Amino acid sequence: MTPAIKKEIRVRIAPSPTGYLHVGTARSALFNWLFAKKEGGKFILRIEDTDLERSEKKFEKDIIESLKWLGLSWDEGPFLQSDRLDVYEKYIRQLLEQNLAYYCYCTKEDLENERQAMLSQGMAPKYSGRCRSRTKTKEKPQVIRFKVPETRVAFKDLIRGEISFDTSLIGDIAIAKDPRTPLYNFAVVIDDYEMQISHVIRGEDHIANTPKQILIQKALNFPHPHYGHLPLILDPDRSKMSKRYSATSIGEYRKEGYLPEAMVNFMAFLGWHPKDEKELMTADELVKEFDLERIQKGGAVFNIEKLNWINSQYIKNLSNEELLQRIKDFGFAVKKISDAQLAKIAGITKERMKKLSDFSELADFFFELPDYSSELLIWKETPRETIKENLEAILKLAPDSGKIMKLAEEKGRGEILWPLRAALSGKMASPGPLEIMDILGEKESAKRIKTAIKKLSD
Ligand code: GLU
């Protein structure tokens, strides 16, 4: 028996450039990308800019930049719907000719009146279809509608299983404003067909669009792609993720100093989990393990603590040189200090960094000693005079860390190491004093210890 030829897997992400790349869209892009990579398929980027009033070039640019930043490279595209108006027009005319679509002359007010009338009769509002049988008039048509047959549409959702809709509740769908101005549900169907999309994997908020798209496919004799609807991303109070609670655009996370590989790892877990308890997975590992069957149905809570933890782990695992490069790319610049020194600073700071943006605050004292109060130098109940004597003793030994440690063992670690650390950093919290001294070097360390002694003498 010859095995059936497996159809090529072709998936897409189809963002509308009406806002910056949203975390939800990025998560959909990631799942499509993972699926394509896993199955040896193709991932396609399509910019759905048919809504001319709300689409903006700056958003399109952001979407493309942010997807690139995340490393979600596409195999084909970006295709712009605004470049494809001829294609839509051809099919719109076809439906009009076949009498499967018609011009609708109802104004907004007509529709609103109709809606109110249905509501007052306790009916679920939908378009009545009154222009179906209307012949051409001198009035300007408002939209082109697709004749929705009264039937049931069922499909097997890859994530949610069997889903079926009663199409008598839908009403005739507006598919275009005019033959060259298609609307979302129509343009999607044409593009998914023309681009030979095999699987449509998108947010759950599109479930109600799926039966409409299936009906249009049927009317045009198109094959149906498989559908999978991803769970919504929720804020911790389980409401739909919104700006009120969390930053919603990928660009904002980038600006805050999250690493793209940490974002990818984190987003992969928004609705999907590997078989074991692993929490840190590279993109390659995700590709190997990704499986549509393990996508959950229930909403996925966006937990910023978890993102922070994942990000801190990725930062910790970077080499000092690589981390320095990321910090520089992030916009951090200091002159006068060599890259070798800076890499060392990055190295001892990384344990305490959650985000790249933490670096300047955590490491600023290396570049300039902050002003601090002499109280900072005092270890517990130790008298000021003793602390001062200790610092004087340290000054004689510095930068010999072996001798300083010996002194610390004799006199008590806290009494020696705390004032030294405070003198070198001018901060409540910092890495250990010997590490700081090593980076500051003999001259600068001595200068800072002297400053501390002077503060205690005043
Ligand atoms: N343009 C739609 C959106 O941004 C795409 C929906 C789909 O994937 O079909 O939500």
Side-chain angles (χ1 to χ4, degrees):
M1 222 171 64
T2 36
I5 297 167
K6 200 171 158 198
K7 218 178 134 214
E8 193 193 3
I9 303 277
R10 290 174 62 84
V11 292
R12 81 317 191 261
I13 186 71
S16 305
T18 52
Y20 297 107
L21 182 67
H22 191 280
V23 171
T25 312
R27 194 268 317 250
S28 297
L30 172 62
F31 282 23
N32 277 283
W33 182 87
L34 289 171
F35 181 60
K37 294 268 165 228
K38 168 89 191 245
E39 302 293 334
K42 294 273 188 309
F43 175 56
I44 291 146
L45 171 58
R46 180 167 83 222
I47 302 288
E48 301 207 320
D49 59 349
T50 47
D51 185 342
L52 298 174
E53 274 132 51
R54 292 174 57 229
S55 295
E56 287 188 41
K57 277 286 164 197
K58 72 166 185 207
F59 294 136
E60 183 185 317
K61 218 173 129 223
D62 174 79
I63 289 167
I64 290 177
E65 276 301 305
S66 299
L67 287 171
K68 279 191 189 158
W69 178 71
L70 289 168
L72 303 179
S73 49
W74 47 94
D75 303 294
E76 292 172 27
F79 298 112
L80 264 62
Q81 288 190 324
S82 54
D83 289 340
R84 300 170 48 75
L85 301 183
D86 291 346
V87 183
Y88 311 121
E89 182 175 1
K90 179 180 102 185
Y91 290 106
I92 291 172
R93 296 215 179 272
Q94 181 186 328
L95 288 180
L96 285 168
E97 270 155 35
Q98 294 177 334
N99 202 17
L100 295 170
Y102 60 91
Y103 284 100
C104 172
Y105 299 84
C106 297
T107 61
K108 271 207 181 95
E109 298 80 72
D110 294 337
L111 296 175
E112 187 50 28
N113 290 340
E114 202 177 90
R115 212 178 93 85
Q116 290 307 334
M118 286 186 178
L119 282 173
S120 67
Q121 286 170 44
M123 287 156 69
K126 66 167 190 180
Y127 179 62
S128 67
R130 65 178 177 154
C131 287
R132 268 193 185 206
S133 49
R134 208 159 144 171
T135 41
K136 260 197 171 158
T137 71
K138 281 208 193 84
E139 291 164 68
K140 192 178 167 292
Q142 300 289 326
V143 289
I144 299 169
R145 287 187 189 272
F146 172 71
K147 286 187 183 169
V148 171
E150 297 205 351
T151 174
R152 278 203 92 79
V153 166
F155 64 97
K156 193 157 183 279
D157 190 277
L158 296 163
I159 294 150
R160 320 181 70 82
E162 197 69 25
I163 295 182
S164 112
F165 282 89
D166 177 355
T167 65
S168 67
L169 302 172
I170 296 179
D172 292 346
I173 310 160
I175 54 170
K177 287 193 182 155
D178 60 63
R180 290 191 69 77
T181 316
L183 294 170
Y184 163 71
N185 273 307
F186 185 74
V188 163
V189 166
I190 303 305
D191 285 342
D192 285 343
Y193 168 69
E194 292 263 329
M195 295 172 192
Q196 296 175 40
I197 300 302
S198 61
H199 294 70
V200 171
I201 302 166
R202 60 185 173 193
E204 191 187 295
D205 43 335
H206 284 290
I207 276 199
N209 288 322
T210 303
K212 300 178 187 170
Q213 296 176 11
I214 290 177
L215 288 173
I216 300 172
Q217 286 157 4
K218 281 199 171 131
L220 290 165
N221 270 322
F222 291 168
H224 307 297
H226 296 286
Y227 286 95
H229 290 92
L230 305 173
L232 287 182
I233 302 178
L234 307 176
D235 277 326
D237 64 0
R238 300 200 70 84
S239 62
K240 189 174 167 191
M241 188 185 191
S242 81
K243 281 190 195 137
R244 243 180 330 115
Y245 216 108
S246 339
T248 52
S249 80
I250 291 293
E252 284 170 277
Y253 290 92
R254 180 180 185 178
K255 267 191 229 113
E256 279 184 43
Y258 291 95
L259 305 184
E261 57 269 51
M263 278 315 282
V264 161
N265 187 150
F266 173 72
M267 289 192 302
F269 283 69
L270 288 174
W272 177 86
H273 294 277
K275 285 200 194 78
D276 53 24
E277 301 287 297
K278 267 198 296 289
E279 288 188 290
L280 295 177
M281 293 178 78
T282 64
D284 284 346
E285 288 164 348
L286 288 167
V287 167
K288 269 191 209 117
E289 290 203 29
F290 189 74
D291 184 353
L292 288 178
E293 264 151 41
R294 298 190 63 77
I295 296 176
Q296 73 199 39
K297 291 196 191 78
V301 174
F302 187 99
N303 178 347
I304 190 78
E305 298 300 327
K306 183 154 180 209
L307 173 59
N308 287 339
W309 178 80
I310 291 178
N311 205 51
S312 71
Q313 299 303 308
Y314 276 85
I315 287 179
K316 229 177 270 180
N317 290 334
L318 292 176
S319 71
N320 296 350
E321 291 69 27
E322 174 66 21
L323 177 56
L324 175 61
Q325 191 54 52
R326 304 281 189 119
I327 292 167
K328 283 184 173 175
D329 293 346
F330 188 67
F332 182 82
V334 273
K335 296 181 198 103
K336 292 194 293 198
I337 293 182
S338 72
D339 274 1
Q341 284 298 85
L342 279 175
K344 267 195 186 173
I345 295 174
I348 66 167
T349 309
K350 68 184 175 187
E351 289 295 324
R352 308 178 59 230
M353 282 169 72
K354 287 202 182 97
K355 299 180 251 179
L356 294 176
S357 54
D358 294 338
F359 181 74
S360 2
E361 209 192 306
L362 290 173
D364 57 356
F365 67 90
F366 282 107
F367 315 115
E368 194 180 331
L369 180 67
D371 191 25
Y372 63 93
S373 133
S374 62
E375 291 308 306
L376 185 73
L377 297 159
I378 310 299
W379 170 252
K380 291 192 173 162
E381 311 290 303
T382 318
R384 276 173 87 87
E385 199 48 38
T386 312
I387 296 283
K388 195 178 139 197
E389 283 162 20
N390 289 352
L391 282 171
E392 279 161 349
I394 294 167
L395 187 58
K396 290 200 186 102
L397 306 175
D400 187 329
S401 53
K403 288 189 178 148
I404 294 174
M405 278 316 286
K406 208 164 147 240
L407 182 69
E409 296 309 331
E410 282 162 26
K411 298 239 177 187
R413 295 173 75 100
E415 274 184 36
I416 296 297
L417 299 179
W418 175 269
L420 175 57
R421 196 203 56 71
L424 295 175
S425 70
K427 291 195 142 190
M428 266 309 281
S430 75
L434 301 180
E435 291 167 287
I436 302 177
M437 206 161 62
D438 178 46
I439 289 173
L440 289 178
E442 182 171 0
K443 225 173 104 200
E444 179 64 20
S445 301
K447 197 172 140 202
R448 291 187 182 194
I449 297 168
K450 282 181 196 156
T451 304
I453 294 169
K454 182 151 185 304
K455 276 183 191 277
L456 290 168
S457 318
D458 289 346

